[in-house]
Amino acid sequence: MNKKIVIVGAGVAGVNAATKLVDNGYPGELITIIDMGKDPYNRLPEEVMTGFLGAGGWSDGKLTYHTAIGGQLSKYTGEEKAMELMDQVITNFKRFHPKPEEVQCSDPHEEPEFIKPYFGLRLFPVWHVGTDYLSEIAKNWYDYLVSKGVKFSWNLKVTKIDFNLGIFDVESNEYTTQQDCDNCTGVYDELIFAVGKSGIDFAQQLAQQYKLPDEPKSVQIGVRFEAPQEHFQKLIDISYDFKLYRKFDDEGVSLRSFCTNNNAAYVAVEETYGDLSYNGHAKKDPKYRNNMTNFGILMEINGINNPFEWSRNVVNKLQFGGRGLYYSPSRTPSKTSEGEEINAFQIEFLDGVKEVMGEYWNYIEDFIEDMKKVFPTLKDDWGVYIPEVKYLSPEPLVYPSDLALVDYPDVHFVGDALSARGITVSGAQGILAVSKLIKKEDAWDNIHGDIVHW
Ligand SMILES: Cc1cc2nc3c(=O)[nH]c(=O)nc-3n(C[C@H](O)[C@H](O)[C@H](O)COP(=O)(O)OP(=O)(O)OC[C@H]3O[C@@H](n4cnc5c(N)ncnc54)[C@H](O)[C@@H]3O)c2cc1C
């Protein structure tokens, strides 16, 4: 327990990794977390992607609890270990929650008859924390880690990592004081690379630089759908975060509703590479209630060459005047929970969108048309924010025991930077990555050499 551990990214994965270490007696003074965002006391609501707890910090806080949801975990650990790791993440969120009894679980067991002719429904438990409590959790969690001696460097972006020498460079931003950046090169014995979606270009750059072997990924693109909640209430009563899905195996396309937010549900704007895309979150406090529902309608498209570049190009073309798009047959865009306009340009016709997305747009249109049949009051009372996108990082080849790169065993890729797509899986990967460093009984000691092959 004397290695200097550097965690790049104070998101869900990085924070759970640090917590696992200090909970098991690892000296906090040997752990440094570097993040290009701000600490939870200074992070602003519009800073959706960066800062303490990362994209999870202003998310909806839906903690999904199933190995088929939220990205890859069980392929590294097996089912049982995966569930146990996710349990640890959920326990952490409850532990730092000011009112843990308010974390509700939705756990549907049966697909309702009324959706069956048109959609399948994924059945899995989900705990809902809520965006407003997340920032309270973040403060309590941060204070705990600081009290254990963990060192945080805020507003610093890691720009280079030399995997051979174990050194890295950081760059300051407008918020960094000179003092913070006096020493802009650092060293590590073990590096946890936990940069999430906001660091995906950096992950790509390193993958190319070090020729990391990886697995081809799919494109994940679609829209954020929004409508008054009443239209979907009969399904929400069964499943808070309902996942409607359909598959077109022959065409390499599947669709699912994704990350449903209800009651006090707001559309969130994400900025990646200078382009806007959309997501959603929901608050718990009844004062924010707007009786709206929003969810992604996401297509998974397989077989596209260079899916990352393809997605970036499509997202870039779906912008107007530096804003994403909003289309509705009858509505105007909603407001954020702070009462601000959602940054989206309203379009009257979908021709331009169809031109950019080609035949893939038809899948989305059909999905909406069929929802109108399943939820008959919906009619034209809906709108879509275009696009919603999940950039999937190339998934480098790692040892399943601690998610270390096969060629650089002191560098661990975790969270959305590896193969996760949600909070519980990202956190669980963070915990898995450091379990061997504490050498406790729950370290999953599948010795190096047991490489996952695809
Ligand atoms: C609006 C919104 C709502 C969501 N809702 C849900 C939900 O309800 N349930 C769910 O399961 N998932 C949800 N997600 C997804 C979830 O938040 C992510 O899957 C999860 O946060 C990924 O964790 P991570 O630690 O890998 O990355 P992140 O949490 O994104 O953290 C990465 C951190 O790395 C930092 N970083 C990046 N690059 C660098 C660099 N070069 N140098 C220094 N720091 C860097 C960033 O500042 C960031 O803080 C949501 C996401 C968004 C944006």
Side-chain angles (χ1 to χ4, degrees):
M1 289 199 185
N2 56 4
K3 289 180 167 181
K4 180 175 167 47
I5 300 175
V6 171
I7 301 177
V8 184
V12 176
V15 164
N16 274 282
T19 306
K20 181 73 184 177
L21 287 166
V22 296
D23 279 351
N24 286 279
Y26 205 95
E29 296 72 23
L30 291 175
I31 305 168
T32 301
I33 306 187
I34 303 169
D35 198 286
M36 60 186 181
K38 301 192 190 116
D39 71 68
Y41 291 96
N42 289 302
R43 183 178 172 181
L44 303 171
E46 60 269 28
E47 292 162 0
V48 172
M49 306 296 284
T50 59
F52 191 86
L53 280 184
W58 284 116
S59 74
D60 186 36
K62 280 188 291 294
L63 308 179
T64 54
Y65 187 56
H66 194 289
T67 52
I69 309 286
Q72 304 291 349
L73 183 59
S74 56
K75 92 169 178 193
Y76 303 118
T77 62
E79 288 287 314
E80 199 181 324
K81 182 70 191 175
M83 297 306 283
E84 192 212 305
L85 289 166
M86 285 195 284
D87 265 333
Q88 293 187 41
V89 177
I90 293 167
T91 302
N92 277 340
F93 274 88
K94 289 186 182 163
R95 164 182 171 193
F96 296 107
H97 196 301
K99 293 183 189 164
E101 66 285 359
E102 292 201 8
V103 181
Q104 293 152 1
C105 182
S106 155
D107 188 8
H109 288 283
E110 228 179 299
E111 229 174 69
E113 286 300 321
F114 66 88
I115 63 159
K116 277 186 182 165
Y118 299 99
F119 298 101
L121 181 70
R122 286 248 160 84
L123 302 168
F124 62 96
V126 56
W127 276 265
H128 182 222
V129 176
T131 312
D132 31 3
Y133 280 133
L134 275 171
S135 63
E136 294 309 306
I137 291 172
K139 288 172 193 156
N140 293 338
W141 204 333
Y142 175 59
D143 291 347
Y144 171 71
L145 292 174
V146 170
S147 77
K148 289 286 179 183
V150 175
K151 289 179 273 180
F152 285 87
S153 292
W154 299 112
N155 303 308
L156 286 180
K157 184 172 184 177
V158 176
T159 50
K160 282 188 201 149
I161 306 175
D162 189 323
F163 290 164
N164 294 307
L165 297 177
I167 58 175
F168 59 90
D169 287 354
V170 294
E171 190 179 275
S172 56
N173 67 21
E174 58 186 305
Y175 300 105
T176 319
T177 62
Q178 190 54 43
Q179 200 187 0
D180 291 329
C181 201
D182 266 354
N183 180 0
C184 287
T185 297
V187 294
Y188 65 83
D189 296 319
E190 297 279 337
L191 184 95
I192 311 293
F193 188 74
V195 296
K197 290 266 182 313
S198 49
I200 214 167
D201 48 349
F202 188 34
Q204 294 258 35
Q205 181 197 313
L206 291 170
Q208 279 164 10
Q209 182 182 346
Y210 291 99
K211 298 189 173 50
L212 303 178
D214 64 45
E215 182 196 14
K217 306 301 279 186
S218 59
V219 164
Q220 306 255 341
I221 200 161
V223 298
R224 174 87 3 194
F225 183 93
E226 184 186 48
Q229 177 168 334
E230 54 186 338
H231 304 309
F232 292 91
Q233 194 60 50
K234 62 181 174 181
L235 186 54
I236 294 166
D237 289 342
I238 297 166
S239 173
Y240 174 90
D241 180 20
F242 57 80
K243 291 214 187 313
L244 301 169
Y245 72 91
R246 48 180 36 178
K247 269 185 156 183
F248 302 90
D249 282 335
D250 296 347
E251 293 144 59
V253 177
S254 63
L255 283 92
R256 65 189 192 284
S257 63
F258 174 85
C259 179
T260 304
N261 303 293
N262 305 310
N263 303 324
Y266 296 90
V267 171
V269 182
E270 290 181 5
E271 185 179 334
T272 324
Y273 316 119
D275 292 327
L276 300 192
S277 57
Y278 299 94
N279 206 316
H281 63 123
K283 297 208 167 180
K284 278 278 193 185
D285 192 325
K287 76 176 181 218
Y288 291 109
R289 201 173 170 109
N290 60 358
N291 298 318
M292 296 296 281
T293 286
N294 70 59
F295 50 86
I297 301 176
L298 272 191
M299 288 181 283
E300 176 167 305
I301 311 173
N302 289 296
I304 288 188
N305 270 339
N306 204 341
F308 181 69
E309 284 307 320
W310 189 93
S311 309
R312 272 184 77 168
N313 182 37
V314 168
V315 169
N316 181 259
K317 286 183 174 157
L318 292 172
Q319 311 281 310
F320 187 86
R323 313 163 84 184
L325 309 175
Y326 175 81
Y327 170 79
S328 169
S330 67
R331 302 180 61 87
T332 51
S334 299
K335 298 245 161 77
T336 66
S337 52
E338 287 72 45
E340 312 281 328
E341 301 285 334
I342 291 172
N343 197 1
F345 179 81
Q346 183 153 12
I347 50 173
E348 280 183 52
F349 305 102
L350 285 163
D351 303 10
V353 176
K354 287 180 187 166
E355 204 171 296
V356 174
M357 292 190 72
E359 63 194 275
Y360 294 117
W361 182 256
N362 299 338
Y363 291 102
I364 296 200
E365 238 171 44
D366 290 348
F367 198 97
I368 295 173
E369 284 309 309
D370 285 344
M371 284 201 304
K372 283 157 73 173
K373 294 175 193 150
V374 174
F375 306 100
T377 57
L378 180 60
K379 299 191 171 92
D380 282 345
D381 197 12
W382 54 271
V384 283
Y385 298 82
I386 309 167
E388 173 150 346
V389 65
K390 306 292 160 214
Y391 292 115
L392 300 186
S393 320
E395 190 179 329
L397 196 60
V398 292
Y399 291 108
S401 52
D402 61 358
L403 309 181
L405 296 177
V406 293
D407 294 331
Y408 303 96
D410 48 5
V411 178
H412 310 253
F413 269 50
V414 292
D416 281 3
L418 179 64
S419 57
R421 290 203 293 263
I423 294 171
T424 34
V425 172
S426 294
Q429 288 186 356
I431 292 171
L432 176 63
V434 298
S435 290
K436 285 173 87 170
L437 295 171
I438 53 180
K439 295 202 169 66
K440 282 272 161 142
E441 68 288 342
D442 70 346
W444 191 60
D445 237 341
N446 192 351
I447 301 302
H448 280 169
D450 185 7
I451 300 169
V452 180
H453 291 286
W454 293 283

